[in-house]
Amino acid sequence: MDLKKMEDGFRMILEGMGEDLNREGLVGTPRRVAKMYAEMMSGLTGENHAEDLLGTCFHEKYDEMIVIPTIDFASMCEHHFLPFIGKAYIAYIPGDCIVGLSKIPRVVEYFARFPQIQERMTRQIAETIQKKLNPKGVAVLLEASHMCTTIRGIKKPGVTMITTQLLGRFKTDEKTRAEFMAAIGKRNNV
């Protein structure tokens, strides 16, 4: 990432607003904003591949649902560059392997670190788990509050969006899907 370009760009935005860049509160702000964006958009550096984050697959004879509820995340909406903040609820039914508990939240965090839309992020998480683990099913539900609806536009705090991506048995078997929704406490939402 080019921090200097990002800093210069934000300096131009402040100037375009008519701000005094020498004002005490703004001295250093363009640099801080550039560093913040570099941190929040770290997925763009290409250092990791999502499948690699899932690490080693452990062969285990376990064929029941594994649920990882309430994974907090924050991402940046690519339309207005305002954050959307929420929780991910993920489940999979192992094929012949499982992964360590920390691996699934790493995948969520990875996809949150791009300019993003919630719908795409939901799909990317599910497809990555499916590709790496080859489970009998994957369920991903993201629920988030978008600052573009909260602080601008319609200005409606408290409005959230829920997106789902269901693969394998979660898509084809209503009972499996209902078990997932009950496990995460979302019985009536999807």
Side-chain angles (χ1 to χ4, degrees), residues 82-131:
L82 287 170
F84 62 97
I85 300 166
K87 295 187 181 301
Y89 306 84
I90 299 175
Y92 70 99
I93 301 169
D96 64 349
C97 70
I98 60 171
V99 292
L101 176 59
S102 70
K103 304 308 181 190
I104 302 293
R106 287 177 199 264
V107 172
V108 172
E109 184 67 16
Y110 175 80
F111 286 114
R113 294 300 177 200
F114 288 88
Q116 211 28 300
I117 60 171
Q118 184 175 330
E119 297 88 341
R120 180 188 317 119
M121 185 174 157
T122 306
R123 179 184 48 78
Q124 289 171 323
I125 293 166
E127 289 176 351
T128 298
I129 295 167
Q130 181 67 40
K131 181 178 178 184

Side-chain angles (χ1 to χ4, degrees), residues 47-98:
E47 294 173 13
N48 293 315
H49 298 286
E51 296 88 14
D52 296 340
L53 298 172
L54 286 167
T56 304
C57 196
F58 301 102
H59 298 282
E60 193 64 44
K61 290 185 185 234
Y62 186 81
D63 63 356
E64 296 295 323
M65 188 182 305
I66 296 171
V67 181
I68 304 98
T70 62
I71 303 166
D72 292 323
F73 71 88
S75 191
M76 190 71 74
C77 172
E78 66 185 30
H79 298 142
H80 295 99
F81 264 75
L82 287 170
F84 62 97
I85 300 166
K87 295 187 181 301
Y89 306 84
I90 299 175
Y92 70 99
I93 301 169
D96 64 349
C97 70
I98 60 171

Side-chain angles (χ1 to χ4, degrees), residues 6-7 10-11 14 21 23-36:
M6 292 163 61
E7 184 178 340
F10 196 69
R11 187 175 287 109
L14 290 172
L21 291 171
R23 185 166 61 82
E24 181 181 11
L26 291 179
V27 173
T29 295
R31 181 78 176 157
R32 285 189 295 274
V33 170
K35 286 181 173 181
M36 183 255 329

